Every structure is written in structure tokens, then in C-alpha cells.
Amino acid sequence: MTGHLAGRFGQALVACFGVLTIVFFVMRLSGDPTLLLVPEGASAEQIAALRHELGFDRPMLVQYVAYLGDLARFDLGESLVQRAPVAGIVAERIPYTVALALGALLVALGIGIPSGIAMAVWRGTVVERALAAIVLAGQSLPTFWSGILMILFFGVYLGWLPTSGADSLASLVMPAVALGALTMSTFARMTRISVLDELSRDYVAAARARGLSRMAAVGRHVLRNAAIPVVTIAALEVGNLLAGAVIVETVFAWPGIGQLAIQSIAARDFLVVQAVVLFVSIVYIAMNLLADLAYAAIDPRIRLER
Amino acid sequence: MTPAALTVAALSLDLGPTRLVDGIGFSVAPGEVMALVGESGCGKSVTAQAIMRLLPDAIRQTGGQVRLGEEDLTALPERAMQAIRGRRLSMIFQEPQAALDPLDTIGAQIAEALRQPLSRVRAEVRRMLEDVGISDPERRIDQHPFELSGGMCQRVMIATALIARPAVLIADEPTTALDVTIQAQILDLLRRLAIERRTAVVLITHDMGVVADIADRVCVMYAGRIAEAGPVAEIFAAPMHPYTALLLASIPRLSDVPKSPLAVIAGQVPAPGEYGPGCRFANRCPRAEPRCATTTPPLLAAGQGREIACFAPLADRRAP
Ligand SMILES: Nc1ncnc2c1ncn2[C@@H]1O[C@H](COP(=O)(O)OP(=O)(O)OP(=O)(O)O)[C@@H](O)[C@H]1O
Ligand code: SF4
Ligand SMILES: [Mg+2]
């Protein structure tokens, strides 16, 4: 079990390193930020001088090695655009994105999983059809579209919720729903399939044969078994949530790392973009390790493996 | 005669417009093992599910009665049925490992039959595990199904089914998935427990060898109907129905390569929905007469507790 976890951790580190490398080179293929930093009408010599000062005239491989050297010392560098340490810039934004992602996850798990269970247990009834309609809406409305619709309806027309910004818990509601909708649908569909799959197994018939009601069999045996595939997608879905945050944070002017990423890409603020990517990768790795631990907690076959 | 523990009367089961089981009936006395035999698809498992009142949604009971002792189960509300399942009427399955929740300990699952948490009935569960021949029950009780062999899992299933001392146990091919040596042990165990506890056992199988080993009576089904029923000794000595005779002839002897009955009896069982108006065995029967194809032979008493549904039985011993 521990060996397995260590192996997974090693794999994840390699993947993280790969992603960082790709981002490093792709960002630089489109040029460097020198032109955006010099005052208007600067001469070619001035530009060249600044480029030299910033180190962008060095061969790319040299820049890459220097960057890795800094990383190894946990130094994320300084933003060329904001003239401030990257670590601080990113750290300031992280709580917002974490709050948004947790809110979205709450929506996704809180609605998606019970809906999925209900759709499976009451298969073929009006309950299933009603929930299926909600799930379909969640998965087919694009995030930017549902976001704008919600702003218009709850923010502008009803005036119940703030239209943008991050001033109170109320401002979190719409972004979290917009971001969580797609994930909610994914959870609902996966949970439904997983529960249906388990319901058809012999151990359910056997549990009923020893006197459990259908609901008792679901509660005592089916849900735990059905959780295993759902845990797998939960880890993946957190990655999708962070990707979706880029759009939601832009639509709702939410000051998280998604918004920061868009601003930094536009400004060619390489080090900030790289730091954001690094953060997202680490979250992703952590979620996958968490999923592995969750499997072990659920499934004795994994727990008892040497 | 002791009153029957289980009586099935004129049971009919339909899948949409298709009749899967057509008015079958039998009864089992306390401590008796009754084998329900027949080829794959003849309706043995759906009959078991109907007795348990756990039919799949698509299949409906459209006629007949199931009585547990004197009590008619057919009309009972689901809640009352739940109180009966596992306590007075139990069932075990073909794939013991699949019939146990892989994530739950075996002790917790056995305790469910008693409607108690394991901690309350631990001693009782341990004793039951001993009774079904599981060594070191104190350790096994907290183990999970994957830590046990298939044979042990079936012993656990038997423990679960019998711990509440039910009057009736239905065993749907309980040894088909097990090794031959384990099969014999499990059958012996069932036999012994049935006698000790006065449990009526309906043993579903398509193996006439198994019937010969442990059953008192046998009920031969063919295509959703009963072809012949009676005491095992009588029927094995002198089968009357041509289908029974062919089934018996197909029992592999020690010297033979095992064959399935299908390999021996030429032709195909008609599918439900393709049944004609006459005897359903007519297309394969060596003794078929013209009327066999047009008229259904009724199931009639034939003396010595035997019943037979055939116009031209092998030895006509029907009571006049
Ligand atoms: N859940 C179901 N839905 C639809 N049809 C079913 C279902 N279960 C069984 N049947 C049909 O009912 C008929 C009888 O099936 P059953 O499982 O009782 O056969 P069996 O005698 O137990 O056969 P086997 O020896 O293969 O277990 C078959 O034609 C089968 O296709
Ligand atoms: S009724 Fe006719 S077809 Fe059917 S088993 Fe008897 S002889 Fe054969
Ligand atoms: Mg069957």
C-alpha cells in the first residue's frame, strides 16, 4: 500500500515536471514581454538593453536551466510586470479560488450524488425523469452562458445576489453554482450508473433474501460499493473545476488564480503563469493521492494488500 | 403425513405476454430435500424468485399460490414479506462469492439475517460458523469475502440462510460454481443441516448426480412445466416420462467423459413464447404420438407419490 502510494507520487512528480516544461517553452514561442514593458517609442537599442537585463536574450535552454535552479531553491522569482515576488502574487489569489472550488464542489457533490442515487433507485419513475432534466441542463449549458443568465436574473432582475466581485459570502453563490453545474452533472451521471451497476449484483439479491428492504440494501451495501468509481472521477473533476475557474472568474470578476492566469498570459508575465500551472499541478497530484487513500479506506481488498 | 413446510400451487409467471412458468405445483415437508431439476431456461430460478417474492420487475406472477406452512405469501404486503425473508424462508445462490458484499465482513452479513448488529450476536454467529464447518470462526468472522475460498463463502451463505432457523431453504444451484470435491462437502452439509434442523430444502440443480446424492424427492421441469415428480428412489429405478429417462441415461458414470444432457438428447428446448399447444417435449421425444403435438398432457397422479404428464409413459403405472 505505502509502496503503491510512493510509486503514484513519483509518477505525479514526473507529470508535473513535464507540464511545467511544456508551459515554459510554449509561452516563450510567442515572444517575450520586453515589448510590452518598454515605454512607447523606445529605440531598438533600449529594447535590446532591457531584453538583456531581463535575461530574455539568452538561449532558451539556458533560461530553462536557470528557472529549474530557482525552483529547486523554492524561488518562484519576481514578476516582471508587477515588480513583486511571484509567490506573493499567487498566494494572494489562492484563497479566492479555493473558496470558489470548494463552493462548486459542495454544489456538485451535494446535488449530484443524491440525484444520481435517486435516479438509480427510482429508475423509470417520474423522479428519474425530473432529475435527468436538471442533470441535462447542468451539462449542456456552457459555463459563461449560464453565468451571464444567472447574473441577469438573480443579480440584475431580482437583485438578490451581487453581480460580481468577492465582497461577501453571497457573492460566492452564483460563481460556485456556475462552476459546479457541469461537475454536478458528471457526478449525477456517474453515481447513477455506478449504483445501477451495483443494484444488479448478486449480493443485493442475497441481502434482500435475508430480509433487507431494497432501501436497507442500498444503504448498507450498495452505496459503499458504488462509491469506488465515483471517487476516481472526483479526483479528476477537481482538475476540471480549476480549469473551469478560469472562465467563471472572468465572467464574475472573481479575483482568483484563474483571473490571474488570464491577466498574466496577456501580459506575458511568464513566471506568474508558470507558478499558477505549478499550483494547479500540485493540487491535481494531491487530489489523486487523496483518491488513493480513499480507495484504501473503502475497499479492504486494497487496504490489506501488502 | 406431516403438513408441508412449503407449498407451491398452480404457479404461473409471465414475462410480458410470454408465459415462462405454466401452472407448476409441488410441496416440501420439514426436513425433506426436494430437487427441482431441468435444463437451462426451464424456469427454475424464476420459480425460486417467485417463492421469495423477489421477482425481477419484468416478470409477474399471474396465477397460483405460495404457502409457507398454512400462510399464503402471495397476498402479503412487502413489509410482512421482509419479516419472513431470512427468518422463515431463506435462499442461497449459485456464486457464493458474488452473493456476499465484498466490502463488508462476513460476520456483519450473517448478523443481518438476525436483524442485529454483529456485536450483539457475535457468539451466536460464531457458533453458526462452527456448525457449517468453518474452522477458526473467531478470526473468520471479521474477514472479508475475498479472504475466503468459494467453498467457504458458500458455507458462510448457508450460515446466513440458516442462522435464524427458517422453515424453508431454497438453494439455487449451490454447488455449480464449486470444485467437485467441495461440491460433495457442501451437499453433505446441506443434507445434514436439513435433517438436524427440520428445514425443508428446495434444491435447484440440473445435475441428476446431485439429485441422486442428496434429494428425497425430485420434481423434473421441462420448458416451464412439470414433467414428472416423485420420490428419488422410485423415479431413478423406473422413470416414466421419456424426458426423465433420457436425463437419467445421461448421468455420467465414473468411466465416462462428462456430458451435458443437451449433448445426449437431440434437438432444442423450445424458447418460452415458441411453445405449441401440445406437449413441449414433443419435438425431441422418441415416443411422441400424433396427439402429443396438439394436446397438453395433464399432470396426473401415478401412485407411490408420483406424478407424471405424458400420454405414452414408459411404464404405465398410473392409477386406474
Ligand atoms: N430478469 C429477467 N428478465 C427477463 N427474462 C428473464 C429474467 N430472468 C429469467 N428470464 C427468463 O425466464 C426463463 C426462465 O429462466 P430461469 O433463470 O428461471 O431458468 P433456469 O431454469 O434457472 O435456468 P438455468 O439452469 O440456466 O439457471 C428464461 O427464458 C429466461 O430467459
Ligand atoms: S406426451 Fe407425447 S411427446 Fe410428450 S413426453 Fe409423452 S410421449 Fe413424449
Ligand atoms: Mg437458474
Side-chain angles (χ1 to χ4, degrees):
Chain A
M1 178 73 213
T2 348
H4 172 72
L5 276 187
R8 292 280 303 226
F9 191 70
Q11 274 174 14
L13 280 186
V14 171
C16 184
F17 176 76
V19 170
L20 218 50
T21 304
I22 292 169
V23 171
F24 184 94
F25 288 105
V26 168
M27 288 286 304
R28 280 161 179 76
L29 284 181
S30 62
D32 63 50
T34 320
L35 283 178
L36 297 171
L37 291 174
V38 291
E40 231 174 296
S43 69
E45 288 85 49
Q46 284 173 309
I47 295 174
L50 182 61
R51 180 165 285 147
H52 180 71
E53 189 196 323
L54 297 174
F56 289 124
D57 59 342
R58 293 175 298 168
M60 237 191 255
L61 218 54
V62 175
Q63 295 183 37
Y64 178 61
V65 172
Y67 171 65
L68 290 185
D70 286 345
L71 261 193
R73 279 176 275 117
F74 297 103
D75 179 4
L76 294 174
E78 196 160 292
S79 158
L80 307 172
V81 182
Q82 301 192 35
R83 298 271 169 200
V86 169
I89 296 174
V90 176
E92 203 170 79
R93 303 292 195 108
I94 285 176
Y96 290 98
T97 297
V98 168
L100 177 60
L102 286 180
L105 213 52
L106 194 73
V107 169
L109 295 172
I111 302 175
I113 289 187
S115 305
I117 295 170
M119 281 194 288
V121 170
W122 288 293
R123 180 185 200 179
T125 67
V126 60
V127 176
E128 187 193 13
R129 283 191 290 278
L131 289 172
I134 297 173
V135 169
L136 187 67
Q139 85 189 59
S140 42
L141 283 183
T143 308
F144 66 87
W145 179 239
S146 61
I148 291 169
L149 282 183
M150 276 195 288
I151 291 175
L152 286 178
F153 190 70
F154 294 105
V156 179
Y157 178 69
L158 291 174
W160 287 354
L161 295 166
T163 54
S164 71
D167 309 315
S168 64
L169 209 57
S171 354
L172 181 60
V173 174
M174 284 199 289
V177 171
L179 180 57
L182 183 61
T183 305
M184 179 271 286
S185 300
T186 311
F187 276 130
R189 274 184 297 125
M190 279 302 300
T191 306
R192 175 181 168 275
I193 292 170
S194 187
V195 171
L196 278 179
D197 201 41
E198 293 300 325
L199 276 174
S200 71
R201 299 202 186 262
D202 284 2
Y203 71 79
V204 178
R208 304 243 17 226
R210 60 179 175 262
L212 269 65
S213 68
R214 198 165 122 91
M215 283 302 159
V218 168
R220 301 189 57 147
H221 300 290
V222 170
L223 293 185
R224 209 142 78 97
N225 281 281
I228 294 172
V230 177
V231 166
T232 313
I233 61 146
L236 297 175
E237 277 305 313
V238 170
N240 285 343
L241 277 183
L242 291 177
V246 174
I247 297 166
V248 170
E249 289 180 3
T250 305
V251 172
F252 289 94
W254 185 263
I257 59 163
Q259 194 191 48
L260 178 66
I262 295 287
Q263 290 164 351
S264 306
I265 289 169
R268 297 220 172 116
D269 202 345
F270 294 165
L271 288 177
V272 174
V273 176
Q274 283 158 210
V276 168
V277 168
L278 190 63
F279 171 74
V280 173
S281 307
I282 289 171
V283 169
Y284 206 69
I285 293 172
M287 289 329 289
N288 278 291
L289 289 179
L290 216 63
D292 278 353
L293 289 176
Y295 288 143
I298 297 171
D299 194 337
R301 286 164 294 194
I302 294 173
R303 192 162 62 237
L304 299 175
E305 248 167 40
R306 311 275 147 224
Chain B
M1 215 182 110
T2 37
L6 176 76
T7 310
V8 172
L11 180 75
S12 290
L13 304 173
D14 288 11
L15 174 70
T18 311
R19 179 141 296 190
L20 299 176
V21 168
D22 192 13
I24 68 165
F26 52 81
S27 63
V28 198
E32 181 183 52
V33 176
M34 196 214 70
L36 192 60
V37 299
E39 274 166 283
S40 188
C42 73
K44 305 181 296 293
S45 292
V46 291
T47 300
Q49 289 161 349
I51 295 169
M52 297 297 295
R53 287 263 311 272
L54 289 173
L55 281 169
D57 291 339
I59 300 178
R60 296 245 176 277
Q61 181 178 337
T62 45
Q65 255 193 359
V66 175
R67 282 195 304 276
L68 188 62
E70 302 284 292
E71 190 172 4
D72 183 2
L73 300 187
T74 322
L76 280 189
E78 171 60 21
R79 286 224 146 241
M81 235 5 252
Q82 278 164 23
I84 286 174
R85 289 188 204 115
R87 284 193 162 163
R88 296 171 53 202
L89 173 64
S90 291
M91 179 162 174
I92 60 174
F93 298 81
Q94 184 169 347
E95 303 270 353
Q97 229 136 7
L100 289 162
D101 178 350
L103 305 185
D104 209 357
T105 63
I106 58 163
Q109 297 186 63
I110 298 172
E112 273 182 356
L114 295 171
R115 278 78 164 165
Q116 301 272 1
L118 177 60
S119 52
R120 281 250 206 95
V121 290
R122 204 176 165 90
E124 198 175 343
V125 170
R126 195 191 316 115
R127 236 176 296 125
M128 190 69 219
L129 282 174
E130 255 161 40
D131 274 2
V132 296
I134 287 188
S135 55
D136 199 359
E138 188 48 43
R139 185 170 62 97
R140 295 292 184 193
I141 211 169
D142 294 315
Q143 287 193 321
H144 294 85
F146 77 99
E147 297 168 84
L148 274 60
S149 68
M152 270 202 269
C153 283
Q154 196 59 293
R155 287 173 193 269
V156 169
M157 287 304 294
I158 293 170
T160 311
L162 296 185
I163 192 164
R165 299 195 161 263
V168 176
L169 171 69
I170 297 170
D172 191 352
E173 309 206 24
T175 59
T176 313
L178 304 175
D179 290 345
V180 182
T181 45
I182 311 290
Q183 280 189 18
Q185 294 172 11
I186 296 288
L187 292 173
D188 286 348
L189 175 68
L190 276 177
R191 169 91 260 187
R192 175 171 68 77
L193 291 173
I195 293 171
E196 278 175 16
R197 296 169 167 248
R198 305 278 304 144
T199 314
V201 177
V202 178
L203 178 76
I204 295 176
T205 176
H206 41 229
D207 184 343
M208 278 298 201
V210 169
V211 177
D213 278 350
I214 79 156
D216 302 301
R217 283 194 308 127
V218 58
C219 197
V220 181
M221 277 182 80
Y222 188 83
R225 284 186 187 153
I226 290 177
E228 177 165 16
V232 169
E234 304 284 334
I235 289 188
F236 273 56
M240 288 194 209
H241 198 285
Y243 175 64
T244 316
L246 287 166
L247 269 186
L248 289 176
S250 71
I251 300 180
R253 312 229 169 71
L254 276 176
S255 53
D256 287 351
V257 189
K259 322 177 186 119
S260 80
L262 272 173
V264 177
I265 307 174
Q268 284 280 318
V269 197
E274 288 167 15
Y275 299 144
C279 174
R280 290 173 181 175
F281 191 54
N283 65 331
R284 302 165 82 188
C285 181
R287 299 171 67 87
E289 303 169 356
R291 63 175 164 163
C292 297
T294 53
T295 320
T296 298
L299 185 69
L300 299 173
Q304 294 170 305
R306 298 181 65 164
E307 288 173 299
I308 168 135
C310 176
F311 290 128
L314 282 155
D316 198 333
R317 299 198 295 179
R318 267 176 291 179

